[in-house]
Amino acid sequence: MNFSRKNIMTLVGALALAGVLIAAGLYGPSAWRGLTGTTEPTDEVVMQTPPVDQTEPPAEEAAAPTDPSAAGVPENKPGSNEDGSKKYAEPDLAKMTLAPSLEGYFGSQGLSQESQTLAYGAGWNIHQYVDGYLYGVTAGPQMDEVDIRKYILFHKTLWEKQMEKEANAKQAATFTTYFVNLLNRGMDAFEAKDQIRIDQFHQELHDFDSHLMRNDAEAKVYGATPFSTKRG
């Protein structure tokens, strides 16, 4: 799917394509790079998934924005494998499994499968970049504070556009309010470059991605969401 580059000049222009992205399921790192013009200059921007394995990080990923040691003890590095090579991947929908505390907000009496996929994709993708920001190139893809904030805004805008189409949005108001506020907290933390608030956002985002949207009993639990799932 190709888009004229003259239609993708700013973030606002990119967000105008939100309906197309949702329909195509392209909301991950490769779509973001295409929309923001970070690919090689050409007449058209082609959205495609980057190589899964890279032996060397791209030039823009040469250094982590922060000292990993300053972030405390990191969780398991979801973006690395045993030899340390970085993996880039779109969200794996096969791993999407809602925690019991969220099941009532989706389905026939709640939000659609499309909304569930958007929430899952936002958690997965933003989590990758926050891990990379905190723990370095072996933990996740790299962006600075300004671009991570824009990336969160990108996903928030996709979500808000989707909510305009949801017939049962009111029935899921508790979840949707929490989710938007979570994204707002992340944007505010990165805009302020406040390390403490970024760490807090990471913990909440980790729990959202790993436990609420994937119900992963093996992942570390920070207990940082109001929808905590009991383990054991």
Side-chain angles (χ1 to χ4, degrees), residues 193-210:
K193 300 183 180 181
D194 185 326
Q195 187 66 41
I196 292 176
R197 288 161 63 193
I198 290 172
D199 287 340
Q200 290 172 340
F201 173 64
H202 169 259
Q203 291 181 10
E204 192 172 2
L205 181 66
H206 165 85
D207 283 359
F208 176 83
D209 174 32
S210 299

Side-chain angles (χ1 to χ4, degrees), residues 21-28 90-94 96-98 106-107 111-125 155 158-159 162-163 166 175 179 208-209 213:
L21 289 174
I22 292 171
L26 295 171
Y27 45 75
E90 301 297 331
D92 183 354
L93 297 180
M96 180 167 56
T97 306
L98 290 181
F106 296 89
L111 301 178
S112 66
Q113 181 65 43
E114 193 173 17
S115 292
Q116 183 176 326
T117 300
L118 279 178
Y120 174 68
W124 172 298
N125 282 298
H155 284 282
L158 290 179
W159 176 261
Q162 178 63 26
M163 289 304 100
E166 288 289 332
F175 172 77
F179 185 53
F208 176 83
D209 174 32
M213 300 308 297

Side-chain angles (χ1 to χ4, degrees), residues 157-178:
T157 304
L158 290 179
W159 176 261
E160 290 175 339
K161 286 182 177 292
Q162 178 63 26
M163 289 304 100
E164 294 173 1
K165 303 188 299 182
E166 288 289 332
N168 296 325
K170 289 185 178 179
Q171 286 88 321
T174 299
F175 172 77
T176 57
T177 299
Y178 162 75

Side-chain angles (χ1 to χ4, degrees), residues 3-60:
F3 294 98
S4 172
R5 198 174 176 84
K6 46 178 79 166
N7 292 329
I8 313 176
M9 298 301 294
T10 64
L11 177 63
V12 175
L15 294 175
L17 296 171
V20 177
L21 289 174
I22 292 171
L26 295 171
Y27 45 75
S30 60
W32 171 253
R33 287 171 182 167
L35 286 170
T36 54
T38 53
T39 55
E40 291 297 321
T42 60
D43 292 334
E44 294 181 328
V45 175
V46 179
M47 295 183 184
Q48 59 184 5
T49 302
V52 173
D53 289 306
Q54 294 181 226
T55 56
E56 294 182 7
E60 69 271 18

Side-chain angles (χ1 to χ4, degrees), residues 55-116:
T55 56
E56 294 182 7
E60 69 271 18
E61 298 177 6
T66 59
D67 178 2
S69 63
V73 179
E75 68 194 71
N76 292 335
K77 303 286 197 306
S80 63
N81 57 19
E82 292 181 358
D83 66 3
S85 63
K86 184 67 191 67
K87 290 185 176 179
Y88 296 89
E90 301 297 331
D92 183 354
L93 297 180
K95 294 183 178 180
M96 180 167 56
T97 306
L98 290 181
S101 57
L102 287 194
E103 288 177 347
Y105 296 106
F106 296 89
S108 59
Q109 301 302 314
L111 301 178
S112 66
Q113 181 65 43
E114 193 173 17
S115 292
Q116 183 176 326

